[in-house]
Amino acid sequence: MNRYFQEILDAHEIIRHWLGDEEAKDDLCDNLLARFSPDFMMVSPAGVILNFDALNRFFRAQRGARQGLTLDIMAMQVVAESETGATVCYQEHQQIPGQQSSLRFSTAVFELDPQGHVIWRHLHETALPQE
C-alpha cells in the first residue's frame, strides 16, 4: 500500500482509540503527536485554524471524550508526490453512537523526515453534506 495512505489509516486508528477509550495510555497520544510536524497547521471543518500547540492541547484534553467513535477512511487519492512528500485527498466518515454521523473531505500535505518517516505538515478539512 502507498505509504501515505497507510499513514492516514494508521493515524486515524490511533485517533479513534485515543478519543474513544478513556483508559488509553499517555504513550498513545505521544505516538499520535509525534506524527505531526512542529510546523503543522490545520483548517477544521468549521474554519478554525489549529497549529501544532493547539492540536496538542486538543488531543491531550480529549482522551475518551468520544466513546464508541468509529472512523472510516475512503476514496484516498494522491494529488501530487515528490521525493520529499505528497499531497493526498480522502474522505472521512465519523460516527459516535446516538449522534448524527459526519462526513468530511480532507486534503493532507505530508513531508518525509530525514529518516524517511511520513510527517503531517498541513491538513484542511471540509464538511460534506450527508446523503
Side-chain angles (χ1 to χ4, degrees):
M1 174 179 287
N2 175 295
R3 65 179 158 183
Y4 302 104
F5 293 175
Q6 190 64 57
E7 172 55 27
I8 291 167
L9 295 173
D10 292 348
H12 281 84
E13 179 57 23
I14 295 170
I15 291 168
R16 184 203 60 76
H17 186 182
W18 179 255
L19 296 178
D21 181 3
E22 62 189 13
E23 302 293 320
K25 304 286 186 218
D26 287 341
D27 64 341
L28 186 67
C29 192
D30 296 340
N31 177 296
L32 174 61
L33 291 167
R35 297 169 175 273
F36 293 88
S37 166
D39 298 321
F40 177 77
M41 187 181 84
M42 174 183 171
V43 180
S44 78
V48 175
I49 296 175
L50 299 171
N51 63 15
F52 179 82
D53 291 335
L55 184 75
N56 183 14
R57 287 191 303 275
F58 168 79
F59 278 125
R60 299 281 180 199
Q62 294 295 310
R63 178 189 351 225
R66 299 178 186 178
Q67 295 290 313
L69 174 67
T70 59
L71 296 174
D72 294 309
I73 304 300
M74 306 161 289
M76 293 184 284
Q77 295 182 299
V78 174
V79 174
E81 186 173 0
S82 71
E83 57 267 353
T84 61
T87 301
V88 178
C89 294
Y90 60 94
Q91 290 184 22
E92 176 184 341
H93 179 259
Q94 293 188 8
Q95 179 68 58
I96 298 171
Q99 296 184 22
Q100 184 174 355
S101 66
S102 68
L103 182 63
R104 58 189 69 187
F105 181 85
S106 298
T107 302
V109 177
F110 295 104
E111 298 175 333
L112 297 175
D113 72 10
Q115 294 76 38
H117 298 117
V118 176
I119 302 295
W120 295 73
R121 177 63 177 84
H122 181 86
L123 178 62
H124 190 123
E125 297 182 329
T126 302
L128 294 174
Q130 297 287 334
E131 295 180 9

